[in-house]
Amino acid sequence: GRAAELLWATLGCSRFLLFLHNRQSRTFDLMTGRGEGVQEQVRKLKFEDGFASNLVNQTILKATAFYLDEALLPGNAAKLPGWLKDSFPPAKSLLLLPLATGGHATGLMYLDWGPGGRAPPLTRAEMAQLERLRAMVSESLHAVRAGK
């Protein structure tokens, strides 16, 4: 909730998506989000966990944030998963923030900026702040799942 509002307000993104890992179905399920076409997808859109040769699954497996400023270039667009391309309009810039606790993936925060992209691109200082936010959200998810 709060992380979504903070990211939405501060970064001026077109879309924000929060996926949480469902251990039973081995999927990442869209739990909340904002932006064009998002509400229609909440609690419906999901993708499988594990290895897949697309940018989203690879980012989750590596457990590191990833910012792509030129997602519309053919080589970069080819790395995006089909479910993403089928669900939302193309975005020029996107940010993937995987969430993990205890070495296990627990979720993914996805942000994008429409066809115009983000001007200017994210700075190193902004990425460092986003990494701190990502760590806080991961810790919160761990506390919730642990029943604290």
Side-chain angles (χ1 to χ4, degrees):
R2 284 189 178 166
E5 295 300 324
L6 179 64
L7 288 169
W8 183 261
T10 321
L11 297 175
C13 54
S14 300
R15 266 177 300 281
F16 169 84
L17 310 173
L18 175 63
F19 292 90
L20 294 181
H21 187 242
N22 181 327
R23 288 182 229 158
Q24 282 134 353
S25 65
R26 297 191 51 153
T27 58
F28 286 88
D29 303 344
L30 179 60
M31 301 308 290
T32 189
R34 292 202 144 213
E36 180 185 350
V38 174
Q39 287 308 308
E40 297 83 12
Q41 298 288 350
V42 170
R43 305 226 184 254
K44 294 178 191 169
L45 184 61
K46 58 182 68 188
F47 63 94
E48 292 184 20
D49 67 6
F51 180 81
S53 61
N54 66 64
L55 186 62
V56 172
N57 288 72
Q58 292 298 309
T59 299
I60 291 170
L61 288 173
K62 291 179 183 176
T64 56
F66 186 83
Y67 175 68
L68 181 61
D69 188 40
E70 294 293 339
L72 296 176
L73 292 177
N76 290 335
K79 297 175 186 171
L80 298 176
W83 62 261
L84 181 60
K85 293 186 248 185
D86 293 342
S87 301
F88 301 107
K92 182 178 182 282
S93 307
L94 60 90
L95 174 65
L96 303 171
L97 297 166
L99 306 171
T101 56
H104 300 288
T106 55
L108 173 75
M109 290 188 290
Y110 167 97
L111 297 88
D112 73 27
W113 293 265
R118 185 173 193 277
L122 291 171
T123 65
R124 285 188 183 160
E126 288 172 318
M127 283 300 292
Q129 290 173 335
L130 289 167
E131 283 288 347
R132 284 193 287 280
L133 178 63
R134 179 174 77 101
M136 289 181 350
V137 172
S138 288
E139 288 172 20
S140 295
L141 284 173
H142 178 69
V144 167
R145 288 188 174 196
K148 296 179 182 175

